[in-house]
Amino acid sequence: MTEVNLNREENIQNKMLSKFKFLEGKIRVKRARRIFAEVDLNNFRDVFHYAVKDINFNVMCMITGLDEGENLAFIYHLANFDGVVLDLKTYAPKSNPVIKTITEYFPGAALYERELVDM
């Protein structure tokens, strides 16, 4: 079995943890080139902005919508040019399923957002 060097993923994780202490226990390197973070809706925009503007996750891959009972979950799949994918997950209650658009960062995200509205 080949050993994988996860330095770049761990560096990204550490940058995000140093900027956002509330991510402690909520961000992890899942495997090579894949980082997962769970962010509450109130902090989501700040984390998203930091990921895109400061640590260069400047490729929007897709947005996944999930029905998780009382909440709707949204996973924003972002990538950088090193091939690392950052999955940012947030929630909105079904009683108030409102999230802010990200089209100012990625105009093409409007297509994904329309699909979420249909959900």
Side-chain angles (χ1 to χ4, degrees):
M1 182 177 220
T2 306
E3 187 173 316
V4 177
N5 185 348
L6 298 176
N7 283 339
R8 85 183 144 186
E9 292 86 349
E10 291 168 348
N11 285 339
I12 293 166
Q13 179 184 25
N14 290 335
K15 282 180 185 178
M16 292 184 75
L17 280 169
S18 68
K19 176 81 173 170
F20 304 106
K21 302 294 185 207
F22 57 81
L23 288 177
E24 186 70 43
K26 304 228 179 227
I27 185 170
R28 66 186 186 281
V29 175
K30 291 177 84 170
R31 62 182 177 274
R33 299 183 323 170
R34 184 65 69 144
I35 304 167
F36 181 85
E38 199 167 307
V39 184
D40 66 78
L41 191 57
N42 292 329
N43 292 311
F44 179 78
R45 294 289 288 190
D46 292 336
V47 174
F48 187 88
H49 179 86
Y50 181 74
V52 173
K53 296 298 183 182
D54 294 325
I55 54 176
N56 299 317
F57 279 90
N58 40 23
V59 177
M60 165 56 71
C61 301
M62 66 184 298
I63 305 171
T64 302
L66 303 166
D67 185 336
E68 295 190 342
E70 293 182 21
N71 294 313
L72 296 175
F74 310 96
I75 305 172
Y76 294 78
H77 307 274
L78 304 171
N80 66 18
F81 290 120
D82 291 332
V84 176
V85 175
L86 173 63
D87 297 326
L88 292 177
K89 183 176 184 179
T90 194
Y91 303 88
K94 282 185 181 176
S95 60
N96 186 25
V98 177
I99 57 174
K100 292 183 180 177
T101 184
I102 59 159
T103 55
E104 70 265 24
Y105 298 96
F106 302 103
L111 297 172
Y112 299 120
E113 291 177 351
R114 282 189 220 137
E115 289 183 10
L116 294 175
V117 170
D118 290 341
M119 189 173 92

